[in-house]
Amino acid sequence: MSAPSSTAPGVSVPTSDIDLFSDEVLSVNDDAVFAQLRELGPVVYLPANDSYAVTRYEEVRAALGDPATFSSKSVAFNPQMNEILSGTSLASDPPEHGKLRAILTDNLSPRALRGMKDDINASAEKLVSEMVERGSFDGMADMAVAFPVSVVLDLIGVQGGLREKILPWGEAAFNLLGPLNERAQASFPVAGELFKWTHEEMQGEDLAEGSIGRAIFEASERGEISHESFGYIVHQILAAGMDTTITTIGNALVLLGQNPEQFQKLREDLSLVPSALAEVIRLRTPAPVFGRRATRDVEVGGTLIPAGAQVALCYGSANMDPRKFDNPEVFDITRNAVDHIGFGYGIHACAGQGLAKLEIHGLLSAWAKQVASYRIGAVVPRLNNFTRPYESIEVTDIVRA
């Protein structure tokens, strides 16, 4: 098909009528949608989203490695949310990005989190034991949600009635990273409560003594960071440690349950836990599309993306690209897909991935040690503009190891 009018004369770009954020697309398997786009080309213009979708692994990875050309100041697909995110490491470019990122990673580095490992593992063992005792449970509410919410809120130091509000706040905020469709519009009031709390209302006494949140607040009191930055950092830790982690735990339960031979491999060799997690994220990327803005005319895979254009970097498509991964549709926990880009790549690689890995490694290890087999029943998706969670996962017929 011919190029949209914004493309330079003589340079063609394939187009597609796919809307990445429509109910129809979000309610089906991303693989089929991304496969269509990948086969059209490494870059496909999507009029419904007024975006240039980058669809293949090498091109997505190269774009992530070039923040000067692909600006994160348009990480969301609507200007209101990009304005709200201004001043965060997620939505900033160098040189501002470096300082903001350092504050965040200082509190989420492997060394900073090392002391939490034993407690997280013990909590995982306890939760799995309770689920095994029950024999069946809702994999989302009882495990995928319950575990990371408890870990992250304890980490930040959130106390009292606020704990019940955090999860719906976070889900609403992720809906706002898409375009201003009906889902996003409905999320504005709920997400606004989160922004108001983290940026205006939160005080040190709201956060438990000894928590990371309290430490960051005290740094702002000493003038080491601005109070505004304190709110942004807490907001980002909440996002990094919860919603995408929740989605990934749900995906792991489903994939291992639907592929019992892979689960048995994991049970026989717990050293495969990191590889299993990498494969879950590759095959079911929890946040499959991120926004960027082209700062200049740039050629990607032989296609010109014009300066100022909204770009959709399709992480989920890149992770299923057969040009990079053999038999990408196959779930293989021995693949060790450490070069997946489910956590991003480059300076904007997920700052919270250390925390996510700590949580999920602990839970998968406990599950593989305590469970001999289980069955996945009904799986109900929940539509979100940015993440791909389930509403519920029926886990039944659990046999204790």
Side-chain angles (χ1 to χ4, degrees), residues 61 66 94 143 270 341 371 398:
R61 194 172 189 270
D66 185 4
M143 182 174 286
L270 290 179
I341 50 177
V371 175
I398 300 171

Side-chain angles (χ1 to χ4, degrees), residues 306-329:
Q310 177 74 51
V311 178
L313 298 181
C314 298
Y315 292 18
S317 179
N319 282 333
M320 293 295 290
D321 189 349
R323 297 161 190 81
K324 171 63 180 177
F325 299 103
D326 293 335
N327 302 313
E329 72 286 350

Side-chain angles (χ1 to χ4, degrees), residues 168-179:
W169 280 355
E171 183 176 1
F174 274 110
N175 263 324
L176 291 175
L177 289 169

Side-chain angles (χ1 to χ4, degrees), residues 125-206:
E125 294 282 356
K126 181 175 183 292
L127 176 61
V128 168
S129 178
E130 292 169 358
M131 296 303 104
V132 172
E133 185 67 27
R134 285 166 56 173
S136 64
F137 63 95
D138 180 346
M140 285 304 293
D142 298 331
M143 182 174 286
V145 171
F147 187 65
V149 166
S150 174
V151 169
V152 173
L153 296 191
D154 286 348
L155 175 70
I156 295 173
V158 179
Q159 306 175 88
L162 281 170
R163 293 175 74 95
E164 296 179 3
K165 297 181 178 181
I166 295 295
L167 188 61
W169 280 355
E171 183 176 1
F174 274 110
N175 263 324
L176 291 175
L177 289 169
L180 292 180
N181 55 17
E182 186 176 338
R183 226 178 338 274
Q185 296 283 3
S187 295
F188 257 117
V190 181
E193 296 176 13
L194 170 63
F195 300 138
K196 186 175 182 181
W197 177 63
T198 55
H199 295 77
E200 298 175 19
E201 299 176 345
M202 185 167 45
Q203 299 296 321
E205 55 266 27
D206 292 335

